């Protein structure tokens, strides 16, 4: 199992954990058990929780339920999260990932987050330097872009770059919509 490591003292907003749990759909009860094992109980959307405990929960979900389930959870997050009307294109949503990450996390290293690099009218490179599973993050990208139903959609991991799942500090995605 890959180990997902947060900076000691870093926190994640309860809302992020709640939407992840909800995104597990049929596996929500398993998710509740895994959250308790990670010492996260009595979730409140506006409270801050230990990011390492959340990473441990995500690692346990990946180990117990597999990559396809954690990908679908990420996709469900992207499909169902509230989006302000200003985010009306895939490019605008993807460009906001770093800002949204910084709002939902605190006391994280300044280099941790997302970078967005447009590569064409309907494509981009997304690099995540967060300590979360690769497939969860790929699913989040997929879900947010999928909301726009622009036709072809492809979110792939760039196998030539480091991966969090393999001990790297980042993972790179090629996104085409």
């Amino acid at each position: 199992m890959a180990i997902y490591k947060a900076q000691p003292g870093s926190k994640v907003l309860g809302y992020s954990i709640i939407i992840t749990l909800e995104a597990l759909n049929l596996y929500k009860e398993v998710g509740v058990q895994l959250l308790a094992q990670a010492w996260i109980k009595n979730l409140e959307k506006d409270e801050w929780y230990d990011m390492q405990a959340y990473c441990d929960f995500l690692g346990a979900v990946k180990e117990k339920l597999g990559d396809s389930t954690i990908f679908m959870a990420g996709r469900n997050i992207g499909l169902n999260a509230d989006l302000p009307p200003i985010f009306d294109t895939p490019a605008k949503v993807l460009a906001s990932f770093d800002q949204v990450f910084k709002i939902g996390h605190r006391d994280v290293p300044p280099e941790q987050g997302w970078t967005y690099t447009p590569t064409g009218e309907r494509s981009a490179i997304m690099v995540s330097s967060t300590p979360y599973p690769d497939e969860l993050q790929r699913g989040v990208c997929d879900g947010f872009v999928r909301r726009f139903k622009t036709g072809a959609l492809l979110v792939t991991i760039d196998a030539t770059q480091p991966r969090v799942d393999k001990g790297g500090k980042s993972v790179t995605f090629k996104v085409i919509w």
Side-chain angles (χ1 to χ4, degrees), residues 48-71:
W48 293 95
Y49 297 87
D50 181 65
M51 191 172 167
Q52 185 58 56
Y54 182 52
C55 287
D56 293 344
F57 160 70
L58 292 172
V61 169
K62 177 180 165 52
E63 182 177 314
K64 186 164 184 84
L65 301 173
D67 277 336
S68 61
T69 299
I70 204 154
F71 169 80

Side-chain angles (χ1 to χ4, degrees), residues 36-47:
Q37 291 172 9
W39 301 102
I40 299 176
K41 299 176 183 171
N42 304 320
L43 278 171
E44 297 289 332
K45 70 177 186 170
D46 295 324
E47 293 295 319

Side-chain angles (χ1 to χ4, degrees), residues 67-168:
D67 277 336
S68 61
T69 299
I70 204 154
F71 169 80
M72 288 306 296
R75 177 186 276 175
N76 288 337
I77 290 168
L79 285 171
N80 297 307
D82 292 333
L83 261 184
I86 191 168
F87 297 117
D88 57 358
T89 68
K92 287 180 184 176
V93 172
L94 294 173
S96 76
F97 272 31
D98 189 61
Q99 182 181 9
V100 171
F101 176 81
K102 302 267 194 280
I103 289 168
H105 296 77
R106 70 178 187 196
D107 300 324
V108 296
E111 68 276 1
Q112 203 168 78
W114 286 83
T115 58
Y116 164 78
T117 305
T119 56
E121 201 172 303
R122 295 168 54 113
S123 62
I125 298 292
M126 297 293 293
V127 179
S128 172
S129 57
T130 71
Y132 299 144
D134 298 345
E135 286 298 315
L136 177 77
Q137 298 183 91
R138 186 173 78 86
V140 169
C141 287
D142 179 279
F144 275 110
V145 174
R146 189 171 293 275
R147 293 169 78 141
F148 295 94
K149 297 181 175 97
T150 57
L153 166 64
L154 188 61
V155 180
T156 57
I157 295 173
D158 184 343
T160 68
Q161 299 299 314
R163 292 184 57 182
V164 174
D165 282 2
K166 297 188 181 215

